[in-house]
Amino acid sequence: SHVGRALSKRENSSISPKSIVGRLKLVAKHMRIGRQEDAHEFLRLLVDAFQRSLLHGIDPKIDRRIQETTLAHQIFGGYLQSQVKCSRCSHESNTFEPLLDLSLDIQAGSTIAKALRSFTRPEMLTKDNRYKCEKCSKLVEATKQMTVYRLPRTLTLQLKRFSSFGGGKISRHVEFPLSLSMKGYVSANSPERGPYEYSLYAVLVHSGGSCRSGHYYSFVKSSAGVWYELNDSSVRQVSERTVLGQTAYLLFYERCPGKGDSRSATKPVEKPAAELRATTNGHGRDIPSAKPLNGQKPADNDYGKPVATASDDMEALLEKKLRLAEPT
């Protein structure tokens, strides 16, 4: 397997990702080998393919909230909350949506902290954008705010460097920290009680003047805390200072363990997918019935048992089950 070969290679060596490239069509039919593609788009499509493989054999009508308990969502998933507050009666309307990454506008921000503050800054709804309050039953002025209701185990940040029109690129450096606290961006009504701290472990960089051309390379921190630059066949050790000086496109942060938890801030779940498939209609008997999320509040605890767990064989999921993920 690709992961097995990567872990067994001697220091300062590289391997060809043929097992991944050779299955590119299983991840994204429209992508072509040798053609410029967007790394963030590929990441999202790869996670989606991972999700499809995890749900293979599960009743396709299973509730959306149950689907969001797979290993893919355990690693990358959280929830965003959009809150609209009536300025007349203070009634709050909250809607929720799954979070797999955050795309941050860097037009006016020189730091990640400023970009996150901009993302969560309240917006006034006035004039033609007035909101129809459920309680007042009329159009009123209101404030709208996006916050993080549930924090993910792995926080992926995309810096919006490319223009939607014209393909231009924002090339300036945006400051990002080795340690990031998300406490100030969490919903006031969130069940989160910490930890809120994240540690940077990977940075992806785009080199080039536009989205239509260029080159991607990355910086990754090893389990020993040593940073390496991975640039095609070149692998070299670099300093933290070098990493922090990059014009990052994607940032990957790992949630720091809570007090007394040496593994992860998110409690692992136990039940494998096979047990769920063995029960009626692919549902676990201990999974409660649930209405479709459709913006409704996610439960403060897990929705029953997951359809795939962190104890499942990661290699099997990535190397074998990916074949089942071909889009229809």
Side-chain angles (χ1 to χ4, degrees):
S1 69
H2 176 81
V3 176
R5 290 196 301 273
L7 294 176
S8 64
K9 278 287 182 177
R10 66 182 184 277
E11 188 177 357
N12 297 326
S13 65
S14 60
I15 64 171
S16 175
K18 292 180 180 178
S19 60
I20 295 176
V21 176
R23 296 173 184 168
L24 184 61
K25 291 295 184 66
L26 299 180
V27 177
K29 286 185 175 181
H30 68 281
M31 289 190 172
R32 298 290 183 271
I33 297 174
R35 188 176 69 184
Q36 182 75 13
E37 305 287 0
D38 181 67
H40 177 248
E41 181 185 9
F42 175 74
L43 173 63
R44 289 279 59 83
L45 291 170
L46 181 62
V47 173
D48 288 345
F50 189 19
Q51 173 77 346
R52 290 195 301 272
S53 72
L54 290 167
L55 293 174
H56 180 75
I58 303 294
D59 183 354
K61 296 180 181 179
I62 190 171
D63 186 83
R64 175 179 163 186
R65 288 175 292 181
I66 304 299
Q67 295 182 31
E68 291 161 6
T69 64
T70 62
L71 181 58
H73 280 266
Q74 289 180 56
I75 295 173
F76 297 103
Y79 280 96
L80 289 173
Q81 173 182 272
S82 176
Q83 182 179 92
V84 179
K85 185 174 182 179
C86 175
S87 60
R88 180 178 179 182
C89 70
S90 298
H91 174 72
E92 297 176 351
S93 174
N94 299 321
T95 56
F96 303 86
E97 60 182 85
L99 158 69
L100 289 173
D101 61 47
L102 284 178
S103 293
L104 301 178
D105 189 351
I106 58 171
Q107 286 281 357
S110 58
T111 69
I112 289 297
K114 289 181 179 178
L116 284 168
R117 285 198 293 271
S118 176
F119 182 84
T120 57
R121 183 177 296 121
E123 171 192 0
M124 290 298 301
L125 303 180
T126 60
K127 299 180 180 179
D128 293 341
N129 290 326
R130 286 181 300 168
Y131 165 73
K132 186 172 182 179
C133 178
E134 298 171 353
K135 190 174 181 180
C136 297
S137 297
K138 61 175 63 177
L139 290 174
V140 296
E141 293 187 348
T143 57
K144 180 180 180 180
Q145 184 178 26
M146 186 75 75
T147 51
V148 182
Y149 183 78
R150 271 203 187 160
L151 292 167
R153 178 181 296 184
T154 297
L155 177 64
T156 305
L157 302 179
Q158 180 216 12
L159 281 63
K160 294 182 180 179
R161 292 195 173 276
F162 302 115
S163 170
S164 301
F165 305 98
K169 178 182 176 183
I170 301 173
S171 299
R172 73 168 184 275
H173 178 261
V174 175
E175 183 180 330
F176 55 92
L178 291 172
S179 298
L180 174 68
S181 174
M182 290 294 291
K183 187 173 184 179
Y185 317 110
V186 172
S187 312
N189 60 332
S190 169
E192 292 285 356
R193 295 297 179 267
Y196 300 99
E197 289 69 38
Y198 284 81
S199 177
L200 182 71
Y201 75 89
V203 179
L204 185 133
V205 178
H206 175 268
S207 174
S210 76
C211 64
R212 297 190 180 92
S213 63
H215 174 64
Y216 289 107
Y217 58 99
S218 61
F219 296 81
V220 179
K221 184 170 67 173
S222 72
S223 58
V226 179
W227 282 95
Y228 291 91
E229 177 187 339
L230 290 80
N231 191 342
D232 287 344
S233 61
S234 171
V235 179
R236 68 185 183 97
Q237 184 176 331
V238 296
S239 65
E240 287 184 348
R241 182 177 179 180
T242 297
V243 175
L244 294 175
Q246 300 302 312
T247 53
Y249 178 47
L250 294 176
L251 297 170
F252 298 86
Y253 285 89
E254 179 183 25
R255 195 172 185 182
C256 298
K259 186 176 181 181
D261 183 356
S262 61
R263 298 169 300 172
S264 168
T266 304
K267 183 180 179 180
V269 287
E270 304 297 337
K271 194 168 185 177
E275 288 187 50
L276 283 164
R277 296 189 185 110
T279 58
T280 305
N281 295 326
H283 292 263
R285 292 190 179 93
D286 53 357
I287 295 180
S289 60
K291 297 178 181 179
L293 187 58
N294 295 331
Q296 299 174 20
K297 178 180 177 181
D300 290 345
N301 52 11
D302 290 333
Y303 296 110
K305 300 296 182 181
V307 295
T309 77
S311 62
D312 288 328
D313 186 347
M314 196 67 150
E315 275 306 292
L317 293 172
L318 290 173
E319 298 292 338
K320 297 179 182 179
K321 295 180 72 177
L322 185 59
R323 297 191 186 98
L324 305 171
E326 185 171 6
T328 58

